[in-house]
Amino acid sequence: DVKVTQSSRYLVKRTGEKVFLECVQDMDHENMFWYRQDPGLGLRLIYFSYDVKMKEKGDIPEGYSVSREKKERFSLILESASTNQTSMYLCASSLKTGGAETQYFGPGTRLLVL
Amino acid sequence: GQNIDQPTEMTATEGAIVQINCTYQTSGFNGLFWYQQHAGEAPTFLSYNVLDGLEEKGRFSSFLSRSKGYSYLLLKELQMKDSASYLCAVNNAGNMLTFGGGTRLMVKP
C-alpha cells in the first residue's frame, strides 16, 4: 500500500518564524512535489524534486525553499512565515518516467500563520 | 499559459448521474487526471486519459477530447459518500501536473 506521510496535520506559527514541513514516502519514488491548496485556486505547485539534492521551482516558489537530502524525504521551508502563507500544504510523490505518472498525496498540513 | 476550468460547485441527488466538465488550454498535453478529495483528506487518483474516448471504471467514467481541450467525469448511481471535491489535472511537461480549481459535489438524499 502506497504511503506518503506529512509531519503535522495542523500547525500554528507566528509571523517571522521559520517553519519546516516534512514529507516522507515509502514507495521509492524519484519525484516529490510540494503544493499549496487554497479555496477557489486549486492546487498550485511550489517546488518539486526529481532526484536527491535536485530541485526545480514551480509556479509559486517565492517565500519558500526546499531540501531533498534523502530519496524518501522532501522538506518545505518557510524562511520567515507570513500571514499570506496560511494555507493547506500537500506533498506528493510519483515515479519518474518519460510519460505521465500518478501522483500520490499525503494527508496535508493545515498551516495557520498569526 | 495554463488554464484549466471546471465548475466550482454542483449538487445532485442520490442514485442519479452527474457529469463534471473540465476544459483546458495548456502549452503541452501528456494526459489528463481526475482526483477525488474528501474534505480534510488527501486527493486520491480516480482516472487517467491520454487518448480520445471514454474510460470506464465501475460507477466512474472519464472522457477526453484532445481536439476540443475537454474532459468530463461521469458518476453513476450516486452515493452519499461521493460528496467530495473532484480535481481535474493536466500533465503538460515531464511528470508535472497543472490543476483546475476543483468541483465540489454535494449529493443529497
Side-chain angles (χ1 to χ4, degrees):
Chain A
D1 195 22
V2 298
K3 195 86 172 177
V4 180
T5 57
Q6 296 183 226
S7 50
S8 305
R9 291 300 302 269
Y10 300 94
L11 213 50
V12 180
K13 295 291 180 181
R14 297 217 172 265
T15 301
E17 279 192 79
K18 191 168 187 176
V19 182
F20 293 87
L21 303 182
E22 304 283 339
C23 175
V24 178
Q25 51 95 4
D26 65 358
M27 296 166 284
D28 203 35
H29 284 169
E30 294 86 2
N31 294 332
M32 294 189 76
F33 307 84
W34 274 107
Y35 296 89
R36 63 179 282 177
Q37 185 176 31
D38 300 288
L41 297 177
L43 274 76
R44 293 179 292 165
L45 182 65
I46 304 171
Y47 267 97
F48 74 99
S49 169
Y50 53 88
D51 204 346
V52 175
K53 297 193 185 295
M54 306 304 290
K55 61 184 179 184
E56 294 284 343
K57 293 179 180 178
D59 299 319
I60 50 163
E62 297 78 19
Y64 304 94
S65 62
V66 290
S67 172
R68 183 116 181 252
E69 296 298 317
K70 293 184 178 181
K71 189 175 185 179
E72 67 271 18
R73 188 179 298 268
F74 192 34
S75 302
L76 180 69
I77 302 151
L78 287 65
E79 295 289 342
S80 177
S82 62
T83 54
N84 63 13
Q85 292 179 310
T86 291
S87 187
M88 168 71 93
Y89 290 88
L90 288 162
C91 173
S93 72
S94 75
L95 290 169
K96 182 170 72 175
T97 66
E101 289 292 337
T102 302
Q103 291 186 15
Y104 297 90
F105 286 84
T109 296
R110 191 168 291 280
L111 172 66
L112 173 62
V113 182
L114 299 173
Chain B
Q2 325 288 350
N3 195 39
I4 300 177
D5 288 318
Q6 46 182 136
T8 306
E9 281 191 359
M10 298 183 72
T11 303
T13 304
E14 192 176 16
I17 298 173
V18 71
Q19 178 175 311
I20 302 174
N21 295 325
C22 172
T23 57
Y24 63 89
Q25 291 174 305
T26 57
S27 55
F29 182 82
N30 197 27
L32 186 143
F33 290 83
W34 284 96
Y35 283 82
Q36 180 190 58
Q37 185 179 25
H38 284 101
E41 297 183 12
T44 55
F45 169 78
L46 282 179
S47 69
Y48 170 67
N49 295 68
V50 66
L51 299 176
D52 290 351
L54 190 67
E55 294 277 343
E56 296 188 75
K57 201 185 282 188
R59 293 190 299 115
F60 292 9
S61 303
S62 56
F63 171 84
L64 176 67
S65 168
R66 288 173 296 171
S67 62
K68 295 182 180 177
Y70 168 67
S71 173
Y72 67 72
L73 182 69
L74 192 71
L75 291 74
K76 303 176 187 174
E77 301 168 18
L78 277 173
Q79 302 175 9
M80 298 300 291
K81 67 178 182 180
D82 297 329
S83 292
S85 290
Y86 292 86
L87 314 180
C88 172
V90 171
N91 179 267
N92 48 14
N95 299 136
M96 291 172 60
L97 296 179
T98 300
F99 284 84
T103 299
R104 187 179 165 204
L105 173 67
M106 289 173 281
V107 180
K108 296 186 174 179

